[in-house]
Every structure is written in C-alpha cells, then in structure tokens.
C-alpha cells in the first residue's frame, strides 16, 4: 500500500521547482513577446544599435524610448509598442540589427486580453480552482467584447478614450489594429500623425481575417481598359514631322548672355509697336538674332536630299516657333525673317498666334521651315 502524504508534507518533500518543468496542471501562458525592428523607410535593411535606453528588468510603457539606431542615412529613436518588462536584449551596443528581426523581448502587461502566440519563456502552474476562475473571467471578457462590438461601440481602453477625447478624435473613424478590432493608443497617435503611418502593426488575427476575405480577382482584360483615339489634323501632322526631325543629327550648346541692352531697346520700341497694334515680346528679337547667326553659319540653315545625297543650302530663313494652341502644340514658321525688321517679325508672329488660338492655321503656315526656336517661357530661356 502506497504511503499517504498531506499537501504540506508533499510540498516540503518535493518543492514545486523540483518538478515544475515536468508537470503542468494548466497550459503555460504565453506572455513574452518579441519586438521586431520595423521598416524605417528609404530602403534601409539594417541598422547599428548606438545606445540602449533600457536594460533587462526595466518596466516600460507604450512609446517609451527603447534605443537609438543609426543607419547610413540618419539616426532613429525606437519606441515601445507594449507595456511590460524587458526580458531580453537581442543586440549589444554597436551590434547590427536587421529590419523585421527581433530587437528585444517583452514580458507584456496583458491589459488588452491579448494572448497572442509570441515566443514565451514563462512556465507556471496553478490550482484547478484558479484555472476555472481565470477561464470564467476570460469568457466574460470575450462575451463583453462581442456584445460591445455588436452594439456598435468602439473597443478601447479608458486611457485610449482619454487621448481621443483630449484631441477631439472620433474613435469610430480610427482604423483599429488591436485584437477583436480594439483601438490601441498607437492607432490614435497614428491617426493624429504624431507617429508615422504603418508604425503600429495589425494584430495577427486581423491579418489572418483579411487574408481569408481576400478573393482572387479575375484578370483584367487590357483591351477593355484601353481607349483608342485616332490622330487627326494638326496632331497627326505634328507626329509625322517630329518623327522625321529625329532623323537629323542633333547637338546641344549652352551659353549665358547679358541682355541688359536688349531690355532697354525693347522698352524704347514698345510704344511704337503699340501704335501699330503690335504686341512686342522678346521673341522677335531672338528670331532676328537667329537669322543673323544663320547668315554667318549657313550650314545650320540647310537640309539633306537623300535621293541625290547632297546638301541644300537655303538663303531664305523661315524660322519655326513652337506655340501652344487649343489643338495642342504646333510649330508654324515666320517667313523670310532675314528680310524683315523687328516690328515686321513681331507683326507676323502675332498673326500666327491669333490664328493658332482660333484653330485657323493653314498648311502654308507650317510649310518650308528651315530653322526652329522654342521659348521655355517661365525659365526665361530661349
């Protein structure tokens, strides 16, 4: 017959720690949570831990400073997402921490009723009476949460509600990331843009729910998502002429010119031009200057005849000018610039602009261009 022991004798003969790891009367409670280094942007994949503000055993609250990390671009202070006690630091000072990997471990304060499946190192045992009481309490909390959710009331702790009230935030408009749709402190701060978007990660149960909701969508028919608009008129002609222009060898040259005297001359001529009903801009001066330059460098006012493989030098300077019209960008030309005065060029340019605004440009306005100028406008450059 086996000897009988009282509970007191059993405890004195076999202390609880002697078999605590071998026997559990209840399931171990997972409370140790790994805090992972979040993505801090700009494509940074690793950082160096420069300073720890906490040590193992310290108790912290949400958004307390944990450490400072240094990337190749900036220093960032990492704050806590949890309330709890620090149980492990995964890196020493000057150690390299990877984005998405554990930075430290918390023994979390389970104020949200969250028993998420993070890694745990705690082992505990309790009496059947305590287990029954805890189970009843948890069931009551779940039932209360379900009833609250059904009634349309937002799930949140009093601390979170206080923050929302102080900042006049409607909690029903704050995206929740906590378990069972609970609004966390971080959700409110993210909504207020106190912390960057994406700082607070959704609870795993929410992520799983979203994945279950996601259904494969039918592949998009690209033909149905496209609209074909045939080119007509000026636009069609411009595509053809600009494509042909790309066959010509190109070169670029930049220079800076002092036009102080030009500003003075234009100011002197504006009154005379206005008397003739002509708007005098700087463009007529540039057209005339380009024409004078072409007289000195005629090769720039030539074309290539592919059939005869010869260069055609042109004594007439029909200089094209890009302008915006209701029909799009067009490039008509001012004829025989080399023979005209500044005011005559300005008058012809005004006429082209008026016809362009009315959509009344003719094929002759585009024909036989020999050179082109573009005015970038707001950059004050030609």
């Amino acid at each position: 017959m086996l000897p009988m022991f009282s509970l007191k004798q059993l405890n004195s003969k076999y202390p609880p720690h002697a078999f605590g790891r071998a026997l559990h009367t209840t399931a171990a409670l997972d409370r140790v949570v790994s805090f992972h280094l979040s993505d801090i942007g700009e494509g940074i994949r690793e950082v160096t831990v420069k300073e720890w503000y906490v040590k193992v055993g310290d108790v912290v609250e949400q958004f307390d400073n944990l450490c400072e990390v240094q990337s190749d671009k900036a220093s960032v202070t990492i704050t806590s997402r949890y309330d709890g006690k620090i149980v492990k630091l995964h890196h020493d000072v000057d150690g390299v921490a990877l984005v998405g990997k554990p930075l430290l471990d918390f023994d979390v304060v389970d104020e949200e009723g969250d028993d998420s499946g993070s890694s745990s190192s705690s082992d505990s045992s309790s009496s059947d009476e305590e287990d029954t009481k805890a189970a009843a309490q948890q069931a009551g909390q779940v039932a209360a949460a379900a009833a609250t959710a059904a009634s349309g009331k937002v799930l949140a702790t009093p601390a979170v509600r206080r923050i929302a009230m102080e900042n006049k935030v409607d909690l029903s408009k704050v995206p929740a990331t906590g378990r069972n749709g609970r609004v966390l402190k971080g959700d409110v701060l993210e909504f207020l843009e106190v912390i960057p978007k994406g700082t607070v990660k959704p609870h795993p149960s929410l992520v799983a729910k979203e994945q279950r909701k996601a259904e494969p969508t039918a592949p998009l028919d690209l033909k149905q998502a496209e609209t074909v608009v045939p080119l007509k008129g000026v636009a069609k002609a411009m595509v053809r002429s600009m494509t042909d222009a790309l066959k010509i060898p190109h070169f670029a040259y930049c220079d800076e010119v002092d036009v102080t005297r030009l500003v003075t001359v234009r100011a002197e001529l504006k009154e005379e031009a206005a008397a003739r009903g002509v708007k005098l801009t700087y463009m007529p001066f540039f057209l005339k200057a380009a024409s004078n330059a072409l007289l000195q460098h005629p090769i720039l006012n030539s074309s290539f005849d592919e059939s005869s493989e010869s260069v055609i030098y042109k004594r007439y300077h029909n200089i094209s000018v890009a302008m915006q019209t209701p029909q799009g960008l067009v490039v008509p030309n001012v004829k025989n610039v080399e023979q005209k005065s500044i005011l005559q060029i300005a008058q012809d340019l005004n006429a082209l602009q008026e016809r362009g605004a009315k959509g009344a440009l003719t094929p002759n306005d585009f024909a036989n261009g020999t050179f082109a100028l573009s005015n970038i406008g707001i950059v004050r450059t030609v």
Side-chain angles (χ1 to χ4, degrees):
M1 185 174 181
L2 294 176
M4 300 296 292
F5 295 95
S6 67
L7 180 59
K8 183 176 180 180
Q9 290 171 324
L10 182 63
N11 286 339
S12 62
K13 186 173 182 64
Y14 301 103
H17 62 77
F19 54 88
R21 293 185 179 275
L23 175 65
H24 294 278
T25 58
T26 62
L29 298 177
D30 291 334
R31 297 180 62 203
V32 174
V33 178
S34 292
F35 181 95
H36 294 259
L37 179 61
S38 300
D39 185 359
I40 57 180
E42 299 188 18
I44 296 170
R45 307 312 307 162
E46 65 180 33
V47 295
T48 301
V49 179
K50 301 305 295 180
E51 182 179 359
W52 282 107
Y53 300 130
V54 296
K55 61 183 181 298
V56 173
D58 285 354
V59 176
V60 298
E61 297 181 351
Q62 272 189 316
F63 304 105
D64 282 352
N65 291 341
L66 299 178
C67 64
E68 181 180 350
V69 298
Q70 174 75 52
S71 70
D72 56 351
K73 297 180 180 178
S75 294
V76 179
T77 299
I78 305 299
T79 58
S80 174
R81 186 189 171 188
Y82 307 104
D83 295 341
K85 183 170 69 174
I86 309 297
V87 297
K88 182 179 180 180
L89 304 180
H90 284 269
H91 302 282
D92 297 327
V93 173
D94 292 331
V96 175
L98 301 178
V99 171
K101 299 297 182 181
L103 190 62
L104 68 164
D105 291 347
F106 282 90
D107 185 358
V108 297
V109 175
D110 196 16
E111 68 169 338
E112 307 264 353
D114 185 0
D115 58 349
S116 59
S118 303
S119 60
S120 172
S121 63
S122 64
D123 294 304
S124 62
S125 60
S126 60
S127 66
D128 292 339
E129 182 180 355
E130 290 174 338
D131 288 342
T132 303
K133 188 180 297 183
Q137 184 179 4
Q138 183 177 7
Q141 290 174 345
V142 172
T148 303
S151 67
K153 186 178 180 181
V154 177
L155 297 175
T157 63
V160 173
R161 294 185 184 280
R162 185 177 67 253
I163 295 174
M165 181 180 65
E166 291 173 351
N167 292 276
K168 299 180 180 179
V169 172
D170 183 355
L171 285 177
S172 64
K173 298 180 180 179
V174 178
T177 63
R179 190 178 185 183
N180 297 324
R182 185 182 295 274
V183 177
L184 306 179
K185 183 195 300 183
D187 299 333
V188 177
L189 296 181
E190 204 171 286
F191 184 81
L192 293 170
E193 299 183 351
V194 174
I195 60 176
K197 294 290 185 183
T199 299
V200 181
K201 303 301 179 184
H203 189 274
S205 62
L206 297 181
V207 176
K209 186 183 295 184
E210 290 299 322
Q211 291 175 345
R212 288 194 298 270
K213 288 182 180 178
E215 297 180 358
T217 57
L220 179 65
D221 186 348
L222 298 182
K223 292 296 182 183
Q224 294 182 355
E226 297 175 349
T227 302
V228 178
V229 180
L231 285 177
K232 300 178 180 178
V234 173
K236 185 175 182 179
M238 287 301 302
V239 169
R240 185 168 55 250
S241 62
M242 295 300 289
T243 302
D244 290 340
L246 292 177
K247 300 177 183 178
I248 303 171
H250 288 63
F251 71 94
Y253 172 76
C254 299
D255 204 348
E256 186 173 324
V257 179
D258 183 355
V259 294
T260 303
R261 293 181 62 187
L262 173 59
V263 173
T264 303
V265 171
R266 173 175 174 265
E268 294 172 351
L269 291 177
K270 281 185 69 174
E271 186 176 347
E272 181 181 347
R276 299 186 185 185
V278 176
K279 180 181 178 181
L280 183 61
T281 64
Y282 288 107
M283 182 56 76
F285 294 94
F286 296 133
L287 291 174
K288 191 62 178 180
S291 177
N292 290 337
L294 293 176
L295 291 174
Q296 300 179 40
H297 305 280
I299 187 64
L300 297 179
N301 198 57
S302 64
S303 62
F304 178 68
D305 185 355
E306 191 172 358
S307 60
S308 63
E309 295 186 346
S310 56
V311 177
I312 302 174
Y313 287 83
K314 300 172 182 179
R315 290 192 296 273
Y316 55 92
H317 299 167
N318 295 347
I319 301 182
S320 302
V321 180
M323 59 180 65
Q324 184 64 33
T325 71
Q327 291 75 37
L329 181 69
V330 296
V331 192
N333 60 72
V334 178
K335 310 293 185 186
N336 303 312
V337 175
E338 80 285 355
Q339 299 176 10
K340 295 177 178 177
S341 67
I342 295 293
L343 292 182
Q344 288 173 327
I345 296 171
Q347 189 172 15
D348 288 355
L349 187 59
N350 287 174
L352 288 174
Q353 291 170 332
E354 289 175 5
R355 291 200 295 273
K358 298 176 182 178
L361 290 169
T362 65
N364 183 61
D365 292 324
F366 300 97
N368 302 315
T370 64
F371 195 76
L373 284 182
S374 295
N375 184 359
I376 306 178
I378 61 173
V379 188
R380 300 179 182 179
T381 306
V382 175

